Amino acid sequence: MITAEKISPTEKLVSDFEAVKKTLPGNSFVQSIRLKAIESFSALGIPARKNEEYKYSNVQKLFQENFTQSAIYNSQFAIEKYLIPTLDAHIVVLVNGFFSEELSSLNNLDKSVVVSSLQKAFEKHPELIEKHFSTCADINSDAFIALNTAYAADGVFISVPDNAVVEKPIHIINLIIAKESTLFFPRNLFVVGKSAQVQLVETFETHDLPVKAITTSVTEIAIDENAKVQYYRLQNDCENGQQINTVSASQQRNSHFDTNTVTLSGGWVRNNLNIALNGENCESHLNGLFITSETQHVDNHTLVDHRKPHCESNQTYKGILDGKSTGIFNGKIFVQRDAQKTNAYQSSKNILLSDDATINAKPQLEIYADDVKCSHGSSTGKIDEDALFYLRARGLGIESARKLLLHAFVNDVMQTIRINALRDYLEALIHKKLGE
Amino acid sequence: MLSIKNLRAGIEGKEIIKGFNLEVKAGEVHAIMGPNGSGKSTLSNVLAGREDYIVSGGEVSFNGKNLLDMSPEVRAREGLFLAFQYPIEIPGVSNINFLKTAINEIRAYKGLKSIEAKDFLKLIKEKQALVELQGSLAGRSVNEGFSGGEKKRNEIFQMAVLEPTLAILDETDSGLDIDALRIVANGVNKLRSADRSFVVITHYQRLLDYIVPDFVHVLYDGKIVKSGGKELALELEEKGYDWIKKEVVEA
């Protein structure tokens, strides 16, 4: 009797690629990158627990299920409930990772600014694609960057030319709709020119997902000299949503990049945030907040690579964990030999609301320059009982005292959100989540 | 107003208050003095309702209700105020916001509507002046980065805003220089009235030069061993606590 040998999820993804590669968009340049990417994925494989980078996030378990690959979702539906009230923004809607012309609204965008589907950009802007695609996110550094690069069929492409200032924020709404277990591969590329300025808001929601799905997304952001980019992400999937996200940004001299990652729901979330400081006098602010309950799993991995002198990076991550949820913060800072006069700060603070919640916080500093200022701190504790008693002794009920303290805990991260409508919206969502 | 009968209480299995009795009537100021370790802080913590302190016997009634049955917030809403010996710093919570929440929860408990914004601002302004607290301090996070004197003034400021019927001042004078002490005492004196009572717990007689008490009690080994008028405080200042200890041992 001959039994078919069971193949591993990695092998299946590699062999499935053979079948779909001809249908994937992109010119020969893009196709050649895809081939290298699948090769890299095949070599790296889906990381095992013994892989230090995925020690606390069991991705192999995620891929045990049989997944089908994502397809374009064509039917129309109302997106009103995914808009941020009072936020005046250009709207981009991605459904299952595919850019939806019908649902997006980009009417008043300045003509010089390009906001389009990635597929279209492959055809219309080959010079920008060849210059930037797959340059920020290294296919040899991580299996999921490789996997996404091989498979990605669409996503958002944004190009802001030199000196352009996009007045209104661009709000990218990611929606997932699937009836069967599916893998999604959204791919974004943002190219921001010299002295240009843009605010990006990206929200992640599941519109209709009765089964488990995995979204493996990659966003590359190329930030040219003296440009200013703010990038805010809100992750608010249902519990079937599972995400492995990578954001890789590359900064040129005098540029500023501020990013904020807020995770409120979603069953399983891994965020990789990689920033390369490739020029002098860059500034990066990485802030994060996660509020988890039940069996949620949220893993934030950051990597800030100081390659040039006189740059500053600042990270503040805060977590509030309830139920049996797990959180991870792993922050790596490299200061290369050339990167003198670097200022790099990192802080991770967490509150555990239940005895069953766990957090693993790990700072990692690797410093090869000698004239730098670097610091990191991490703390995890329960809600401050003395402060709680103080407030109650003034007449506040235990619930409102608790809420007041938790809001105070997240306040400094919230204050880094410089779009008022977004901050108000998040505060309302946080209030609701903490009230559960 | 406050009636404490044969109170026994302690922490971590150790009895510290051992049969304490006290009657406080409306408008009275009682000073409780005593050497270190006599149970002064335990008493204030037990009265405010701190949960790690365990009451093992006795009764405390506050305006005819059983105080020991109430949660800390209900005690506050019923009109009890504790000025903390060590006010807590709470980063990120503004003084003003938290006081507004406190006022409104107390009002809701009494069946009253929330305070109007303009009335609240007026109240804050008025009470700040009472303790010479700068406007910028009131707007900052609760006690964060305040000096010792500012923290104690902030306690009296909160007391002035919340208008309790019974205020317990737990070593509010400890660590204050004479100017800060005068400001704090002045604030307290302005709040004295026929229907508001004070229990002033202190280690030093000096405070009682400024807040003149109706009664002085000496707390030793968990109970009151001597009571008298304000002249008892002077006697203690002069002779120290040793003669009291001696009396207790001999008795």
Side-chain angles (χ1 to χ4, degrees), chain A residues 161-179:
Chain A
D162 293 355
N163 301 310
V165 174
V166 184
E167 298 286 349
K168 289 198 274 182
I170 299 171
H171 180 191
I172 302 161
I173 302 172
N174 286 274
L175 297 173
I176 296 292
I177 304 173
K179 291 272 183 274

Side-chain angles (χ1 to χ4, degrees), chain B residues 138-206:
Chain B
R140 272 177 28 200
S141 289
V142 180
N143 296 323
E144 192 187 23
F146 285 27
S147 70
E150 284 168 343
K151 282 181 185 170
K152 297 297 175 79
R153 264 193 278 170
N154 193 23
E155 293 294 289
I156 305 304
F157 166 64
Q158 291 175 26
M159 178 174 82
V161 170
L162 299 176
E163 300 181 324
T165 52
L166 174 68
I168 301 164
L169 310 186
D170 187 4
E171 300 208 22
T172 299
D173 56 326
S174 298
L176 294 190
D177 63 34
I178 194 71
D179 292 330
L181 181 72
R182 277 199 194 111
I183 292 170
V184 164
N186 217 352
V188 171
N189 286 330
K190 284 183 188 155
L191 292 168
R192 283 178 79 158
S193 75
D195 47 14
R196 181 172 295 136
S197 315
F198 290 86
V199 173
V200 180
I201 296 171
T202 181
H203 194 68
Y204 306 106
Q205 182 273 335
R206 188 182 64 162

Side-chain angles (χ1 to χ4, degrees), chain A residues 244-413:
Chain A
I244 303 164
N245 297 302
T246 301
V247 173
S248 292
S250 157
Q251 288 185 245
Q252 302 305 323
R253 62 188 301 158
N254 300 322
S255 64
H256 283 205
F257 179 52
D258 293 353
T259 182
N260 218 306
T261 308
V262 177
T263 311
L264 296 181
S265 54
W268 200 99
V269 179
R270 163 69 177 244
N271 295 313
N272 293 318
L273 175 58
N274 309 316
I275 297 176
L277 301 168
N278 286 314
E280 292 189 13
N281 195 33
C282 292
E283 225 180 273
S284 316
H285 296 272
L286 297 71
N287 294 292
L289 171 64
F290 50 98
I291 302 179
T292 57
S293 56
E294 294 171 18
T295 57
Q296 270 182 277
H297 175 93
V298 176
D299 176 354
N300 280 294
H301 265 60
T302 65
L303 166 60
V304 180
D305 189 358
H306 283 263
R307 296 174 178 170
K308 286 287 184 317
H310 297 285
C311 294
E312 178 173 330
S313 69
N314 236 307
Q315 303 183 53
T316 305
Y317 271 75
K318 293 210 166 168
I320 298 176
L321 299 98
D322 203 353
K324 292 181 174 171
S325 64
T326 49
I328 292 119
F329 174 75
N330 190 108
K332 211 184 275 181
I333 299 173
F334 281 125
V335 181
Q336 310 280 5
R337 189 162 304 155
D338 278 352
Q340 299 294 359
K341 304 285 181 192
T342 286
N343 284 326
Y345 305 102
Q346 184 188 84
S347 143
S348 148
K349 290 188 178 160
N350 307 288
I351 290 183
L352 301 176
L353 296 178
S354 111
D355 290 339
D356 297 325
T358 53
I359 178 91
N360 282 292
K362 184 177 166 198
Q364 270 175 283
L365 264 58
E366 285 186 34
I367 301 171
Y368 301 100
D370 52 20
D371 185 11
V372 302
K373 275 192 216 161
C374 292
S375 72
H376 64 82
S378 170
S379 69
T380 296
K382 302 212 161 192
I383 199 158
D384 183 346
E385 289 293 334
D386 289 334
L388 199 61
F389 178 70
Y390 189 83
L391 296 175
R392 293 176 72 193
R394 297 294 176 256
L396 271 72
I398 189 159
E399 275 313 307
S400 60
R402 209 177 130 262
K403 256 190 188 179
L404 200 62
L405 290 175
L406 293 176
H407 277 278
F409 175 71
V410 303
N411 185 50
D412 55 346
V413 171

